[in-house]
């Protein structure tokens, strides 16, 4: 309190009292942040017309400029579309939100917000940027560290698109076609009906789901492989079955699905696996990377996902791992707006 008073960031509630145990009002909070930003020499030029709110007349004279700035900077919003409640008490949750916004938008070296990370991906020149942005949105919202999310995205770049069926077009080198795709081509007309197509382009969800159920846990090759589908090219029976069930739920009773619904379902699938069946992929990465906000941690996440989650069957070589780790470091730089 003495420090804040010495910097003119906090003044008394009267000439002789500080009232340290009284609830803080929303306008008082705006004043504190405004004065602190001024004290640090940061930009306080943002501004909003408080007259847009019906209770603007309740704003104290000393707080008018600060509150107009706080609203203009996006730190404080109305309690409704037409009321600001300047003398209402700020809750602990509201203060946490305002502090986060202050760090992200006012502090010059503050952290990049998750929404800005997603926008940076959308505006980038990265391959599959729409898929990357959609997956990042879900995983960041679910609390995964940004550098780890970058590791996953670095693998998606080399895997598939949301809703994309695995290609079985090994025409120039048929011996390279995996045995499960050979079986699918011969028994389900896979190459003509599904190969490399997008499930959200009118393909029946029920038809694909029934095909997976018919293949069963043994898959198309007796070892559980069915066919690849989606941004992580889910192949094994249990995982692709869960993916399709998430598609069906996202489609909400329809037999076809939209791209937005596909992205939602695939994000949910990845998040579920990283919190349940493949939880150790994330927790082991966290243990190995106590500093989780570096490009090195993102690189390590790209390798970790490659070796323990999105395993590229048959070619998981050091060169592949280096490629995906490098992708992850690049994606992380893009997310932070550094590339």
């Amino acid at each position: 309190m003495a420090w804040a008073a010495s910097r003119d960031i906090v003044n008394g509630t009267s000439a002789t009292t500080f009232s340290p145990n009284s609830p803080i009002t929303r306008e008082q909070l705006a004043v504190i942040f405004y004065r602190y930003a001024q004290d640090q020499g940061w930009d306080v030029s943002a501004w909003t017309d408080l007259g847009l709110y019906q209770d603007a007349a309740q704003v104290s004279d000393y707080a008018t400029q600060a509150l107009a700035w706080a609203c203009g900077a996006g730190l404080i919003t109305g309690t409704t579309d037409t009321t600001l409640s300047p003398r209402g008490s700020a809750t602990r949750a509201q203060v946490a939100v305002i502090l986060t916004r202050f760090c992200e938008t006012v502090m010059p070296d503050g952290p990049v917000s998750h929404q800005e990370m997603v926008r940076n991906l959308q505006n980038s020149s990265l391959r599959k940027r729409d898929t990357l942005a959609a997956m990042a949105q879900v995983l960041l919202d679910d609390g995964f560290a940004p550098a780890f999310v970058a590791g996953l995205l670095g693998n998606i770049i080399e895997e598939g698109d949301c809703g994309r069926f695995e290609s079985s077009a090994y025409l120039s080198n048929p011996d390279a076609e995996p045995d499960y795709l050979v079986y699918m081509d011969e028994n389900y007309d896979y190459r003509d009906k599904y190969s490399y197509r997008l499930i959200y382009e009118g393909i029946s969800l029920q038809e694909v789901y029934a095909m997976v159920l018919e293949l069963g846990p043994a898959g198309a090759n007796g070892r559980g492989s069915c066919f690849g589908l989606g941004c992580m090219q889910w192949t094994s029976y249990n995982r692709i079955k869960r993916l399709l069930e998430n598609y069906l739920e996202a489609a909400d009773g329809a037999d076809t699905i939209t791209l937005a619904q596909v992205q939602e379902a695939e994000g949910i699938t990845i998040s579920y696996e990283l919190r349940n069946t493949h939880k150790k992929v994330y927790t082991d990465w966290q243990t190995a990377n106590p500093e989780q906000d570096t490009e090195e941690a993102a690189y390590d996440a790209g390798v970790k996902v490659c070796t323990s989650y999105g395993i590229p069957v048959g070619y998981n070589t050091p060169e592949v791992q280096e490629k995906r780790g490098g992708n992850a470091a690049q994606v992380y730089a893009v997310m932070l707006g550094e590339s």
Side-chain angles (χ1 to χ4, degrees):
M1 186 70 80
W3 170 83
S6 72
R7 308 291 291 193
D8 198 32
I9 293 169
V10 173
N11 295 323
T13 54
S14 74
T16 57
T17 58
F18 264 125
S19 305
N21 295 319
S22 297
I24 192 168
T25 66
R26 289 160 57 83
E27 66 177 12
Q28 289 170 343
L29 194 62
V31 169
I32 289 172
F33 279 106
Y34 180 71
R35 290 174 177 168
Y36 180 69
Q38 285 183 312
D39 181 74
Q40 296 297 306
W42 296 336
D43 182 15
V44 289
S45 61
W47 183 83
T48 285
D49 181 7
L50 298 182
L52 299 172
Y53 298 99
Q54 294 176 353
D55 55 357
Q58 297 177 20
V59 179
S60 302
D61 290 342
Y62 78 91
T64 299
Q65 187 172 356
L67 198 53
W69 164 79
C71 291
L75 305 185
I76 293 178
T77 56
T79 49
T80 71
D81 290 340
T82 58
T83 56
L84 195 52
S85 305
R87 301 190 186 187
S89 296
T91 67
R92 290 160 59 88
Q94 289 169 344
V95 173
V97 171
I98 293 168
L99 180 57
T100 299
R101 291 171 179 166
F102 183 86
C103 292
E104 292 173 347
T105 63
V106 179
M107 293 175 63
D109 299 318
V112 180
S113 71
H114 290 173
Q115 281 305 113
E116 189 174 352
M117 289 181 184
V118 173
R119 285 195 299 270
N120 288 341
L121 289 169
Q122 289 173 327
N123 296 330
S124 73
S125 59
L126 291 170
R127 287 184 292 134
K128 304 178 183 177
R129 61 185 182 183
D130 290 340
T131 292
L132 303 185
M135 296 304 100
Q137 183 72 71
V138 174
L139 296 170
L140 291 170
D141 285 350
D142 284 354
F144 292 98
F148 181 82
V149 172
L152 188 83
L153 302 184
N155 277 267
I156 287 176
I157 287 176
E158 303 298 331
E159 288 290 323
D161 297 300
C162 284
R164 178 82 70 181
F165 284 90
E166 182 178 7
S167 174
S168 68
Y170 289 77
L171 302 180
S172 61
N173 187 12
D175 291 340
E177 185 173 10
D179 54 3
Y180 58 87
L181 289 182
V182 172
Y183 182 91
M184 295 302 300
D185 287 342
E186 293 176 348
N187 293 273
Y188 289 93
D189 199 18
Y190 179 86
R191 180 173 295 167
D192 291 335
K193 294 182 68 175
Y194 305 109
S195 178
Y196 207 63
R197 290 184 62 190
L198 294 163
I199 199 168
Y200 54 83
E201 293 182 341
I203 292 176
S204 166
L205 296 178
Q206 292 292 347
E207 181 180 284
V208 179
Y209 186 53
M211 181 169 61
V212 171
L213 294 180
E214 186 174 310
L215 289 167
N221 59 357
R223 299 189 302 277
S225 297
C226 295
F227 51 86
L229 178 60
C231 68
M232 288 300 291
Q233 287 294 285
W234 286 273
T235 305
S236 67
Y237 171 77
N238 286 325
R239 298 178 70 200
I240 199 169
K241 176 175 175 286
R242 181 183 298 115
L243 173 66
L244 282 160
E245 288 168 350
N246 286 337
Y247 281 163
L248 288 164
E249 184 174 350
D252 195 24
D255 191 34
T256 56
I257 193 169
T258 67
L259 171 57
Q261 290 168 337
V262 163
Q263 292 171 336
E264 174 191 352
E266 295 196 14
I268 289 171
T269 304
I270 292 173
S271 184
Y272 171 84
E273 291 187 337
L274 291 174
R275 287 182 286 106
N276 294 277
T277 55
H278 291 74
K279 184 176 181 179
K280 275 181 63 63
V281 176
Y282 186 54
T283 57
D284 286 354
W285 173 82
Q286 288 180 302
T287 300
N289 292 275
E291 293 188 21
Q292 296 172 8
D293 56 354
T294 66
E295 285 194 18
E296 291 77 10
Y299 180 97
D300 193 51
V303 174
K304 184 66 177 177
V305 170
C306 178
T307 55
S308 304
Y309 180 52
I311 304 173
V313 178
Y315 64 101
N316 195 344
T317 63
E319 291 76 17
V320 169
Q321 295 169 26
E322 183 177 352
K323 172 68 173 175
R324 296 182 180 217
N327 286 347
Q330 180 188 10
V331 168
Y332 187 59
V334 168
M335 290 169 65
L336 297 183
E338 298 173 355
S339 175

